[in-house]
Amino acid sequence: MGAGIAQVCIQAGVETVGREVSAELGEGARARIEHYLGRGVEKGRLTEEDKAAALARLRTTTELADLAECDLVVEAIVEELEAKQELFRELEGIVGPEAVLATNTSALPVTAIAGATASPERVVGMHFFNPAPVLPLVEVVRTEASSPEAVEAVYAFAERIGKRPIRCRDTPGFVVNRILIPLLNDCVRVLDEAGVTPEDLDTALTAGLNWPIGPCALIDLIGVDVHVHASEALHEALGEPRIAPPERLVKMLAAGRLGRKSGQGFFNYGM
Ligand SMILES: NC(=O)c1ccc[n+]([C@@H]2O[C@H](COP(=O)([O-])OP(=O)(O)OC[C@H]3O[C@@H](n4cnc5c(N)ncnc54)[C@H](O)[C@@H]3O)[C@@H](O)[C@H]2O)c1
């Protein structure tokens, strides 16, 4: 996600510093961005000059201290509360007093991340969707402590980089995942309840509701592991039975059938 967000920023003309934990990972992220920009050139969406200019705006580093001059930091590290809290505490001592600290977390409370800092008023959720260069939505998540200035700065920044931001409170799942996770779990239960094949279920929702992608293909894309983890977190927060991951998905996870990334999920990806 970090590389995708950095790509969106440099394409929008923003000088960007990408921090990874090792130089190799940083270079890997840069190479991925270069690859996607190259595909954009092939498809005529940007010129070679645009690509070179965008890449020149990206500096990669392993040093947090290199973020000192940033007006906005968008954190997209592993989805672990302690790691994020520690990072935000460190960042506070590095960036300027006016800098806004945003988190791309999907399932952790922004409030719990902000609560680890001495200045929670400048902490805001900035939730991108995967792949960040393709999907326009950004959920701008405010906590009780977020200052209106910090929230509006993140909203304005999302617009500046060509995204479609919305504002919401810090509730479990924010907006999209609060709706999508129980919905996808209902879809999976219908497979067994109605004796439908994954192919037919996907046809039902693409041909009957005009969904751009069927629920089984979507779970394969998200990753069964990611979806089960997100379902468990949301279920723990809200307690509604239909949010818990269905048995079928738990079995797929145990069998290593994770979707596209493992070559097999509801469907086969020929790996
Ligand atoms: N994958 C998605 O679909 C998606 C969508 C929206 C939001 N998110 C959120 O974005 C964040 C990142 O997700 P991802 O899927 O890119 O995860 P990932 O595990 O693929 O990537 C995390 C990256 O952060 C790096 N990192 C940098 N600093 C770190 C530190 N201090 N500690 C640990 N790792 C550090 C790791 O090296 C790794 O490359 C998570 O909070 C996730 O919930 C993910």
Side-chain angles (χ1 to χ4, degrees):
M1 284 301 286
I5 296 166
Q7 183 185 329
V8 173
C9 292
I10 59 173
Q11 282 193 268
V14 180
E15 294 291 332
T16 304
V17 185
R19 186 261 179 174
E20 253 294 359
V21 288
S22 75
E24 292 73 32
L25 286 170
E27 281 318 304
R30 173 187 288 279
R32 261 198 326 279
I33 293 172
E34 198 168 347
H35 169 78
Y36 287 122
L37 292 178
R39 289 234 308 242
V41 173
E42 280 164 25
K43 291 183 177 160
R45 284 199 291 261
L46 69 162
T47 64
E48 275 294 348
E49 292 72 43
D50 295 334
K51 177 187 159 189
L55 285 170
R57 290 184 201 106
L58 177 66
R59 189 152 63 92
T60 54
T61 182
T62 56
E63 300 298 323
L64 270 187
D66 287 337
L67 304 183
E69 304 297 315
C70 294
D71 301 312
L72 168 68
V73 178
V74 183
E75 168 276 313
I77 69 164
V78 283
E79 187 75 327
E80 288 168 18
L81 182 59
E82 292 73 30
K84 289 190 193 285
Q85 288 176 327
E86 192 187 322
L87 180 66
F88 273 69
R89 270 194 296 264
E90 272 185 80
L91 280 171
E92 254 187 329
I94 290 170
V95 297
E98 303 295 320
V100 174
L101 302 179
T103 174
N104 183 47
T105 184
S106 297
L108 298 170
V110 179
T111 306
I113 298 168
T117 70
S119 47
E121 65 281 358
R122 59 157 133 182
V123 178
V124 177
M126 187 174 194
H127 187 218
F128 288 82
F129 288 76
N130 193 12
V134 177
L135 291 177
L137 182 65
V138 172
E139 293 172 335
V140 178
V141 184
R142 62 179 183 275
T143 73
E144 292 290 321
S146 304
S147 73
E149 292 75 22
V151 172
E152 292 314 311
V154 170
Y155 188 95
F157 183 76
E159 283 191 319
R160 179 180 160 198
I161 59 173
K163 293 295 166 190
R164 292 270 302 275
I166 62 163
R167 300 175 183 85
C168 63
R169 287 211 307 253
D170 183 24
T171 51
F174 310 136
V175 175
V176 169
N177 284 339
R178 171 67 183 85
I179 295 165
L180 180 67
I181 289 172
L183 181 57
L184 287 179
N185 287 340
D186 274 349
C187 290
V188 173
R189 290 190 184 97
V190 167
L191 284 173
D192 296 312
E193 288 167 14
V196 193
T197 64
E199 288 80 0
D200 279 357
L201 182 67
D202 279 16
T203 300
L205 295 194
T206 53
L209 286 180
N210 247 351
W211 282 26
I213 182 172
C216 298
L218 182 56
I219 292 173
D220 277 355
L221 190 67
I222 294 169
V224 172
D225 51 341
V226 172
H227 178 74
V228 167
H229 184 258
S231 301
E232 282 166 348
L234 198 62
H235 180 238
E236 201 179 306
L238 295 173
E240 279 178 42
R242 68 186 277 257
I243 300 176
E247 186 70 31
R248 184 193 270 254
L249 285 183
V250 175
K251 283 188 180 148
M252 285 170 69
L253 175 62
R257 283 174 50 202
L258 306 182
R260 279 177 187 261
K261 66 174 95 168
S262 71
Q264 223 200 355
F266 287 102
F267 304 112
N268 247 317
Y269 297 93
M271 286 166 82

